[in-house]
Amino acid sequence: MTNDSQAVLLIAPVVDDLLTRLSAAYTVYRLYDQQDSDDFLQRVGDRVQAVVTRGDIGVTHAVLDELPRVGLIAIFGVGTDAVDLPYARSRDIAVTITSGVLTQGVADLAMGLLLAGARQLCLGDRFVREGRWLNSTLPLATQVSGKRIGILGMGNIGQAIARRASGFDMQILYHDRNPNPQLDYQWCSSLHALARESDFLVIAASGSAENRRLINANVFEVMPAHAWLINIARGSLIDEAALIQALQNKTIAGAALDVYEDEPNVPAALMALDNVVLQPHVASATRETRQNMSNVVFANVEAYFSRRPLPNQII
């Protein structure tokens, strides 16, 4: 039965299962359905106690300022770059993420992108479908096994990627703020040192203002010419214009991307290149992962309204 005194504001659409469960238990307001969001928030904002949003969407100051009673921001995802955490902390607003359930799916896609790029899987598919195999051959691809993989960001996802790479007998290097003594991988003291030594540079770092366009022309210049860049983290981490130039000029061999600076707008120059593999931000888009994410979000909202400890609180 819906509890009319406990209201949740949905910033963006979520999977049907989560919407159904939230609607059955609480009063749910859908901001994304409103033509005049300002007027809507002025009418219902003082009733809202919890916000549910996606990691790629977050929630703005302007919205939060209209929610005087809000005490929880439950994020469907692990990205927090679209939420001002210091501002939330200043208002004693708890923030939760779906930690621990995206790891395997995202790591799977990272390796899939790496293999698709190096072994020209997308090019090979088109080569067969277009009938070119009848009178020509595909250019030689790049072997993955035994190569050096550099991972920027050795959190849960970075470590899951490393475990998969070890199955390909790859030499694993990584850069994070500090070396992890529990990991038997080679730590590089800087991003440039990592890029210089990597045949495949995989971006698994968190998106933040300080990390914006961290991967830029200076990084591409020190990467080996045969190296590939793989990004399953955030598009804001890469200077897209510099990447396009590096790909066009063959400064690096290729890129495999699931995320972009201005989603869903992908530069035409990227789409025109054959040495690029593109995906529509689907690293966590498996039935299993999305169900687990829904369960975690609901558990955090339920714990908040029940005044229990939040299972996945980060602030």
Side-chain angles (χ1 to χ4, degrees), residues 14 50 57 97 135 145 165 172 207 211 236 258 298 303:
V14 293
I57 301 295
I97 59 175
N135 50 33
S145 298
I172 299 165
N211 285 346
S236 60
D258 185 46
F298 188 80

Side-chain angles (χ1 to χ4, degrees), residues 200-232:
F200 300 94
L201 180 59
V202 181
I203 312 305
S206 59
S208 64
E210 64 179 334
N211 285 346
R212 181 170 175 77
R213 296 185 177 174
L214 186 66
I215 313 300
N216 52 37
N218 293 330
V219 174
F220 300 133
E221 288 294 334
V222 301
M223 291 175 66
H226 63 263
W228 276 75
L229 176 75
I230 294 92
N231 189 13
I232 44 76

Side-chain angles (χ1 to χ4, degrees), residues 292-311:
N292 288 335
M293 291 169 69
S294 295
N295 294 342
V296 171
V297 170
F298 188 80
N300 280 288
V301 173
E302 187 177 45
Y304 173 73
F305 282 119
S306 300
R307 300 184 182 275
R308 299 196 309 268
L310 304 177

Side-chain angles (χ1 to χ4, degrees), residues 74-150:
I75 299 174
F76 188 89
V78 296
T80 60
D81 46 307
V83 176
D84 188 333
L85 298 182
Y87 179 71
R89 187 178 291 111
S90 73
R91 286 191 50 189
D92 293 323
I93 301 172
V95 177
T96 64
I97 59 175
T98 54
S99 51
V101 298
L102 284 79
T103 300
Q104 305 308 324
V106 175
D108 285 350
L109 187 71
M111 288 304 296
L113 285 172
L114 190 156
L115 288 163
R119 295 307 308 267
Q120 304 178 153
L121 299 185
C122 298
L123 285 177
D125 180 84
R126 293 203 302 270
F127 187 79
V128 173
R129 291 177 187 274
E130 293 170 2
R132 287 182 283 155
W133 194 16
L134 298 172
N135 50 33
S136 61
T137 58
L138 198 66
L140 293 176
T142 298
Q143 180 170 304
V144 171
S145 298
K147 295 295 179 63
R148 298 166 300 176
I149 180 173

Side-chain angles (χ1 to χ4, degrees), residues 216-228 242-254 275:
N216 52 37
N218 293 330
V219 174
F220 300 133
E221 288 294 334
V222 301
M223 291 175 66
H226 63 263
W228 276 75
L243 172 61
I244 291 169
Q245 187 171 31
L247 292 166
Q248 291 172 337
N249 296 340
K250 308 296 183 183
T251 304
I252 62 173
N275 57 340

Side-chain angles (χ1 to χ4, degrees), residues 138-174:
L138 198 66
L140 293 176
T142 298
Q143 180 170 304
V144 171
S145 298
K147 295 295 179 63
R148 298 166 300 176
I149 180 173
I151 303 173
L152 177 64
M154 194 50 91
N156 290 336
I157 292 173
Q159 291 179 43
I161 294 169
R163 290 193 296 272
R164 285 155 175 75
S166 67
F168 286 84
D169 297 321
M170 301 185 81
Q171 179 184 348
I172 299 165
L173 307 88
Y174 73 99

Side-chain angles (χ1 to χ4, degrees), residues 23-97:
S23 299
Y26 312 106
T27 298
V28 174
Y29 299 115
R30 306 184 202 183
L31 186 63
Y32 55 89
D33 276 344
Q34 308 306 315
Q35 291 185 344
D36 189 338
S37 58
D38 291 337
D39 176 70
F40 178 73
L41 288 173
Q42 288 176 10
R43 288 187 285 110
V44 307
D46 60 352
R47 305 174 201 168
V48 172
Q49 298 157 67
V51 166
V52 172
T53 187
R54 300 202 312 253
D56 59 329
I57 301 295
V59 58
T60 66
H61 277 200
V63 170
L64 291 175
D65 285 343
E66 297 294 332
L67 311 176
R69 298 177 60 201
V70 70
L72 171 69
I73 300 171
I75 299 174
F76 188 89
V78 296
T80 60
D81 46 307
V83 176
D84 188 333
L85 298 182
Y87 179 71
R89 187 178 291 111
S90 73
R91 286 191 50 189
D92 293 323
I93 301 172
V95 177
T96 64
I97 59 175

